[in-house]
Every structure is written in structure tokens, then in C-alpha cells.
Amino acid sequence: DGGITQSPKYLFRKEGQNVTLSCEQNLNHDAMYWYRQDPGQGLRLIYYSQIVNDFQKGDIAEGYSVSREKKESFPLTVTSAQKNPTAFYLCASSKTQGVVSSGANVLTFGAGSRLTVL
Amino acid sequence: DAKTTQPNSMESNEEEPVHLPCNHSTISGTDYIHWYRQLPSQGPEYVIHGLTSNVNNRMASLAIAEDRKSSTLILHRATLRDAAVYYCIPRVDSSYKLIFGSGTRLLVRP
């Protein structure tokens, strides 16, 4: 079945360490996204990528980095510069063609990765 | 970006219809209105979207006001599995960014 796989599901990090969250999709989607969710809050956009080897900052990109070397993969690195990294991280993907032709930006989300800084 | 206002929470009885309102008074003429929902400890899932006309799909109906400054997501018969946070998201034309607010937490009573 097609979908998005995020790993790990739970991750613990010591302060000062970088960690990388994996996101893989087999939906043949062009666009991929990373969101952060804090308890009781909505989702905030970290980075998004519309095409391989290209990505744009979202609203809260500071302290994060991404790469898009393959269409299927969009890993997120939470660096030591991110002062409050404990959160639920969600990866999503969508077709870009559909956004232009039909107006719908239908995102498919992964199950999320919960990062806790000790 | 168009700003949205949704009630923090709503309650419904099982098997009854639910009307979830959303105000988006700053929406532009080309912004599509999307609705997503998020079940506990899961990623959001797409529910429905529309521009000007009312829309129906297997999950819900979307009623859009004539002036497009508000919309209502309608669940025709709420089930316990519909308990979730529902997000109303206007999308800026040609943008791939979807901005999620705090949404409405729907509680369904058995």
C-alpha cells in the first residue's frame, strides 16, 4: 500500500545533539513537507519542497535543516541550535500538479515522530 | 494569508449531525477552503475542500457562504470515530503552504 513512513516513532535526545528524522513516501508525490506540533496546538510549517534538490523555509525553519536528494525522501535534521525541540514532528506529501489544476492541496501525512529532549 | 476563526471545542451525540463552523473573513476570491481532521496521536487526514459551491464526499459535506467569509463542515451522522480536531484551512492560490490553526476539538458522546 502506498503511504508515508516516518521513523523513528519515538526519539530521545540529549541537549546539544543533532538528530535526523526520516520521511519516505512511495506515492510518487512531488511535494513534501515537515510540520511541528506542540501539545494542544496546531501544526506549524518548518520546511517544504516542491521538487528534488529544492526546498523552502516555512514559518519556523530556524534550528532545522532538510535535504531533498531523492523524490521519495525528505529527512529533517533537528540541530543543537533549535532551543526547544521537544515536539511531535509530522511529514506530509502531495501532488503538485493537482494544486494548480484543481485547487486542492491534498496532503497525505505520516504517523509522526515524537522527539523528547532529556 | 487568510485568517480563520473556529470554536475551540464542540460536543455532539452519536448518530446526530454535526455542524462545524469556520470564519475566514479575509479570504480572497481564489483561496480554496480545505478541511482536515486529526485523530489523537495521529497525523491529520484530508476531509474535503471547495471554492464557491457546496461540496459533498463520502466523509462530509462542505457548505460555503455566498460571500465566502465563512464555511461549515457537516458530518451527517457523527460516530465515536469522528472524535478529532478539525482544521479549516484557506489556501492561498498557487501556494503549496497549508497553515493549520488550532482547530475545533469535536467530542462525540455515546
Side-chain angles (χ1 to χ4, degrees):
Chain A
D1 289 340
I4 296 184
T5 301
Q6 290 188 242
S7 62
K9 189 169 184 176
Y10 298 96
L11 184 61
F12 298 90
R13 186 195 98 171
K14 294 181 180 179
E15 284 193 28
Q17 287 182 334
N18 293 354
V19 293
T20 297
L21 307 180
S22 171
C23 178
E24 303 279 334
Q25 56 99 358
N26 60 4
L27 299 165
N28 199 31
H29 285 172
D30 295 300
M32 297 187 74
Y33 314 77
W34 274 105
Y35 287 88
R36 167 183 171 142
Q37 187 173 35
D38 293 289
Q41 306 295 315
L43 283 69
R44 291 185 289 169
L45 184 64
I46 304 173
Y47 270 98
Y48 66 106
S49 166
Q50 298 175 21
I51 196 169
V52 174
N53 293 323
D54 187 48
F55 48 82
Q56 289 78 41
K57 293 182 179 180
D59 300 316
I60 56 166
E62 185 174 353
Y64 299 97
S65 67
V66 293
S67 63
R68 188 83 189 278
E69 298 177 359
K70 298 187 301 181
K71 186 176 183 179
E72 301 80 16
S73 179
F74 192 41
L76 174 74
T77 297
V78 184
T79 75
S80 57
Q82 171 49 237
K83 298 305 179 187
N84 187 20
T86 294
F88 188 44
Y89 291 88
L90 288 155
C91 179
S93 69
S94 69
K95 294 181 182 179
T96 54
Q97 184 177 2
V99 172
V100 175
S101 63
S102 73
N105 198 6
V106 179
L107 271 62
T108 300
F109 282 84
S113 293
R114 195 169 297 276
L115 172 63
T116 302
V117 173
L118 303 174
Chain B
D1 292 343
K3 297 191 182 299
T4 61
T5 303
Q6 297 180 255
N8 289 333
S9 64
M10 294 184 63
E11 294 188 19
S12 172
N13 294 319
E14 198 175 10
E15 303 293 321
E16 290 185 355
V18 181
H19 291 231
L20 298 166
C22 179
N23 288 323
H24 29 76
S25 58
T26 60
I27 197 170
S28 76
T30 54
D31 288 353
Y32 283 80
I33 301 158
H34 294 69
W35 282 80
Y36 282 74
R37 73 178 186 181
Q38 186 176 21
L39 279 64
S41 298
Q42 296 187 26
E45 63 175 341
Y46 167 82
V47 177
I48 200 166
H49 80 283
L51 182 62
T52 56
S53 303
N54 294 345
V55 185
N56 301 293
N57 67 19
R58 63 176 181 82
M59 291 182 70
S61 296
L62 177 59
I64 301 172
E66 193 169 339
D67 62 7
R68 293 190 5 99
K69 294 185 183 301
S70 66
S71 61
T72 301
L73 181 71
I74 303 166
L75 306 180
H76 296 285
R77 292 180 64 195
T79 69
L80 297 178
R81 294 183 69 246
D82 290 323
V85 177
Y86 287 80
Y87 298 99
C88 166
I89 308 168
R91 180 183 71 84
V92 176
D93 186 41
S94 78
S95 168
Y96 296 92
K97 295 170 57 176
L98 290 186
I99 308 300
F100 288 74
S102 298
T104 296
R105 183 174 299 278
L106 176 65
L107 304 175
V108 180
R109 294 185 292 261

